[in-house]
């Protein structure tokens, strides 16, 4: 792959971090890994909030421009529901899509399976129309599993779920299909971890798939274990709009921990995107990510520049 002179695709917002526990209207140990969506002409984040017990819940933060003047809910919006089989350890790492066919938002998040040995992480699907009232749609797939999101549309008659199970010790990105959001099948590996690369130990979805003229844009995280611990960076892929086959994938990582708020925190050297929004007026791609499992930060890019970069990539 020849991309010419190196130029950063993603640029950090100069006001980073945009949200910290100090901003929170109630006691919080850390805030990170937010889902993101446009809602009522505002940018809405569903932020993972970790309390001082170490359990997580989700809280909304809203902004007119997606960068400043965040209005944070005065209390938690979503927490684990033991009666639905979610253990008290909490809800983590939400992804949000608007599903036109159902006329509602679908939140996919990590929960923990109550009553199963070790309380393994799994996937909860939660529907809402207003981010005040929520409906559990059930527990999805067999744990351990995480890093999941629905595609924001039905494809060839199926709901499609990206997820990250652990299969025979491997942590690859998979895709699964369902007619009813309850029973899943036709599972297959979508994006594999690669040997001895920046994404060699595991990969997982970042933000939900973004539909573009060139294909589905996939922002994902890759992990490489080092002598100092796990290092999380971000890569890109492009899927065919109909077959969902990978047609482009970045050889290199495109965004990694560099600033102090990304390097030092509860867990060092992590950039972990869970939400992205395209500003249709400016074609700006806003990617919201957790930094060092401690704060929320923002990176931006021109969507056309992202696609131009990917079209030069030939490694799958």
């Amino acid at each position: 792959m020849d991309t010419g002179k190196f130029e950063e695709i993603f640029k950090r917002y100069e006001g980073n971090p945009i949200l910290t526990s100090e901003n929170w209207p109630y006691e919080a140990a850390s805030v990170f890994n937010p889902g993101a969506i446009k809602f009522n002409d505002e940018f809405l984040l569903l932020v993972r909030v970790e309390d001082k017990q170490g359990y997580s819940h989700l809280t909304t933060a809203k902004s007119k421009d997606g960068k400043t003047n965040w209005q944070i809910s005065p209390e938690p919006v979503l927490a684990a529901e033991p009666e639905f089989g979610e253990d008290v350890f909490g809800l983590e790492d939400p992804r949000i899509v608007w599903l036109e066919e159902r006329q509602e938002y679908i939140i996919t998040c990590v929960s923990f399976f109550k009553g199963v040995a070790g309380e393994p992480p799994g996937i909860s699907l939660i529907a809402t129309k207003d981010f005040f009232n929520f409906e559990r749609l059930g527990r999805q797939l067999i744990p351990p599993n995480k890093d999941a999101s629905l595609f924001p549309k039905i494809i060839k008659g199926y709901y499609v779920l990206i997820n990250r199970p652990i299969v025979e010790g491997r942590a690859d990105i998979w895709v699964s299909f369902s007619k009813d959001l309850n029973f899943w099948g036709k599972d297959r590996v979508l994006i594999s971890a690669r040997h001895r690369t920046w994404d060699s130990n595991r990969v997982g979805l970042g933000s939900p798939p973004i539909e573009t003229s060139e294909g589905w844009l996939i922002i994902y995280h890759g992990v490489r274990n080092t002598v100092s611990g796990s290092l999380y960076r971000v890569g890109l892929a492009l899927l065919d709009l109909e077959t969902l086959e990978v047609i482009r994938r970045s050889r290199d990582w495109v965004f990694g921990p560099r600033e102090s708020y990304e390097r030092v925190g509860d867990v060092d050297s992590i950039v972990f995107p869970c939400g992205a929004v395209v500003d249709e007026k400016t074609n700006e791609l806003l990617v919201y990510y957790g930094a060092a499992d401690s704060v929320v930060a923002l990176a931006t890019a021109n969507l056309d520049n992202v696609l131009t970069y990917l079209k030069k990539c030939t490694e799958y």
Side-chain angles (χ1 to χ4, degrees), residues 196-235:
R196 291 188 178 276
T197 62
W198 65 271
D199 53 2
S200 58
N201 289 99
R202 57 187 178 276
V203 290
L205 181 67
S207 60
I210 298 170
E211 187 174 11
T212 77
S213 59
E214 301 294 335
W216 291 103
L217 173 62
I218 301 296
I219 300 170
Y220 74 95
H221 67 262
V223 181
R224 184 174 187 174
N225 294 339
T226 75
V227 293
S228 298
S230 297
L231 181 56
Y232 281 70
R233 300 186 178 108
V234 175

Side-chain angles (χ1 to χ4, degrees), residues 104-116:
E104 59 187 354
Y105 297 92
I106 306 293
I107 301 160
T108 312
C109 60
V110 175
S111 60
F112 298 86
F113 272 62
K114 183 181 179 183
V116 178

